[in-house]
Amino acid sequence: MKRVAFLTSGGDCQALNATMRGVAKGLYAADSDIEIYGILEGYKGLIYENYRKMKPSDFSGILTQGGTILGSSRQPFKHMRKPDENGLDKVEAMKKTYRDLKLDCLVILGGNGTQKTANLLHEEGLHVIGLPKTIDNDIYGTDMTFGFQSAVDIATDCIDCIHTTAYSHGRVFIVEVMGHKVGWLTLHAGIAGGADVILLPEIPYDIDSVIRAIEKRTEEGKRFSILAVAEGAISKEDAALTKKEYKQKLKNNPYPSVSYKIGAEIEERTGQEIRITVPGHTQRGGSPCAYDRVISTRLGAAAASLILEEKYGYMVGFRGDEIVPVPLSEVAGRLKMVDPNSSIIKEAKSLGICFGD
Ligand code: F6P
């Protein structure tokens, strides 16, 4: 009989439950004696022994349910080796919970930081399987993460809605899309929503180039312009600063986010009326889209197979349409970013989409 625990950590997304359901169904189908535990609120639950035994029925009816039935929390990797306020060694505490539960495997669903801690636990000798969750699609070693496509759909719907009102009023609209370090979500939603300007963290923008693109549209008789701007979009000028200088500059910045700064510059220089829309956490909410339900189910089934084969220390990822186990040591600490010279960027540029470079 195997004993397996599930843990969801970091920012949530739409298909966490769908993925856990996939793993659980795969395990229960192969071995009816299997015991599954749910670690509550991410690594916090593993550190402070907060968990519950799950029943097969807990995994029924959750394919379409967003969020996570286990709860989540952010436990930054950089603090994992630091004792908590009571001097508790977090890594030792996590290992103790694992041992006390007599686990054969810990299944960890999460993004980049989460996979780093998963690798740490693997290096500490625990049996770990990682599953790639994030709306950002920035996990190294997999072409696709679950949550991404659902978030693309929501951000695209937002841009679609903005189109009609932007046209009516003849305004410039900025839709700020999630993604501090990478721009996959902005890129895909921007293209799907027909944005005229797409600004990504990977391609620092020149405000002159953005303004030229808007003025060109006005000269062509277009009544409105739509910009899809990533949370982490950055100007060329700011990208040239050191991290420290940039942080210092942000302290004196009057704008709540980069979109407001860009909006103010456009308004001042073009005289056009600007509106800013921030869909924010709606992008992580609601039900998973059909695509995410499919990939979550597949990833879950593949994770169950690895556990049954006792192949640990991997994150289950996609290469094209193929599922591949990727060593956690390869995933940890690396980001999958948008390549400014990639084909998708070239294609978008060839249609006239401005990337501000
Ligand atoms: O990593 C997912 C993500 O939604 C990012 O796109 C976003 O920048 C961040 O989390 C928001 O984090 P929080 O939910 O902690 O505000």
Side-chain angles (χ1 to χ4, degrees), residues 74 134-136 178-180 231 281 284:
R74 288 203 185 271
T134 170
I135 64 163
D136 296 331
M178 272 188 164
H180 272 118
E231 283 173 318
H281 288 77
R284 294 214 314 240

Side-chain angles (χ1 to χ4, degrees), residues 77-320:
F77 172 76
K78 62 179 177 197
H79 297 150
M80 279 301 181
R81 291 275 183 201
K82 293 183 193 155
D84 77 356
E85 57 280 12
N86 299 314
L88 180 79
D89 181 326
K90 294 175 202 150
V91 176
E92 285 309 316
M94 290 192 282
K95 285 161 67 178
K96 182 176 179 303
T97 307
Y98 180 96
R99 279 196 306 269
D100 289 351
L101 276 171
K102 298 189 174 55
L103 294 178
D104 293 289
C105 180
L106 178 61
V107 180
I108 299 178
L109 298 86
N112 279 298
T114 300
Q115 301 299 336
K116 275 203 240 177
T117 301
N119 184 49
L120 180 157
L121 294 176
H122 162 63
E123 286 172 351
E124 289 286 329
L126 308 194
H127 294 158
V128 175
I129 295 288
L131 282 159
K133 166 245 64 159
T134 170
I135 64 163
D136 296 331
N137 195 26
D138 59 353
I139 299 184
Y140 186 86
T142 184
D143 291 345
M144 191 49 70
T145 59
F146 58 86
F148 174 65
Q149 209 54 244
S150 304
V152 169
D153 286 357
I154 294 170
T156 304
D157 274 351
C158 174
I159 299 174
D160 288 350
C161 292
I162 290 302
H163 252 106
T164 53
T165 177
Y167 177 83
S168 306
H169 289 267
R171 287 170 171 158
V172 174
F173 263 91
I174 298 180
V175 178
E176 185 173 288
V177 180
M178 272 188 164
H180 272 118
K181 292 188 181 150
V182 300
W184 291 109
L185 183 51
T186 310
L187 177 62
H188 281 241
I191 292 176
D196 310 298
V197 177
I198 299 178
L199 302 182
L200 312 177
E202 294 91 336
I203 308 179
Y205 68 86
D206 174 352
I207 194 68
D208 292 339
S209 152
V210 174
I211 287 169
R212 264 198 310 276
I214 295 169
E215 284 177 337
K216 183 165 173 280
R217 281 180 59 80
T218 311
E219 282 156 26
E220 288 167 357
K222 307 271 170 56
R223 284 180 50 74
F224 68 95
S225 292
I226 294 186
L227 287 73
V229 173
E231 283 173 318
I234 186 163
S235 67
K236 286 193 171 171
E237 190 194 339
D238 288 346
L241 300 175
T242 62
K243 247 188 176 174
K244 203 172 156 201
E245 288 167 337
Y246 184 50
K247 268 195 178 164
Q248 190 54 36
K249 187 171 175 187
L250 284 183
K251 275 190 193 153
N252 307 315
N253 161 32
Y255 304 108
S257 71
V258 66
S259 299
Y260 288 85
K261 172 175 180 261
I262 295 170
E265 285 173 303
I266 298 172
E267 194 156 55
E268 191 191 314
R269 296 212 6 216
T270 66
Q272 299 210 37
E273 213 181 334
I274 309 283
R275 291 291 185 274
I276 290 155
T277 297
V278 183
H281 288 77
T282 63
Q283 292 163 95
R284 294 214 314 240
S287 301
C289 66
Y291 179 89
D292 271 340
R293 294 179 203 180
V294 174
I295 67 163
S296 291
T297 304
R298 292 183 63 194
L299 289 168
S305 297
L306 286 181
I307 295 166
L308 295 166
E309 289 165 28
E310 302 183 354
K311 255 182 107 178
Y312 305 119
Y314 294 94
M315 183 192 78
V316 190
F318 274 104
R319 200 160 296 144

Side-chain angles (χ1 to χ4, degrees), residues 293-353:
R293 294 179 203 180
V294 174
I295 67 163
S296 291
T297 304
R298 292 183 63 194
L299 289 168
S305 297
L306 286 181
I307 295 166
L308 295 166
E309 289 165 28
E310 302 183 354
K311 255 182 107 178
Y312 305 119
Y314 294 94
M315 183 192 78
V316 190
F318 274 104
R319 200 160 296 144
D321 192 43
E322 291 303 309
I323 292 205
V324 285
V326 192
L328 279 167
S329 56
E330 274 180 32
V331 176
R334 292 160 99 173
L335 264 190
K336 184 183 70 187
M337 305 185 84
V338 176
D339 175 358
N341 297 312
S342 57
S343 155
I344 185 168
I345 298 284
K346 286 183 187 151
E347 287 139 16
K349 280 186 177 172
S350 75
L351 302 187
I353 297 176

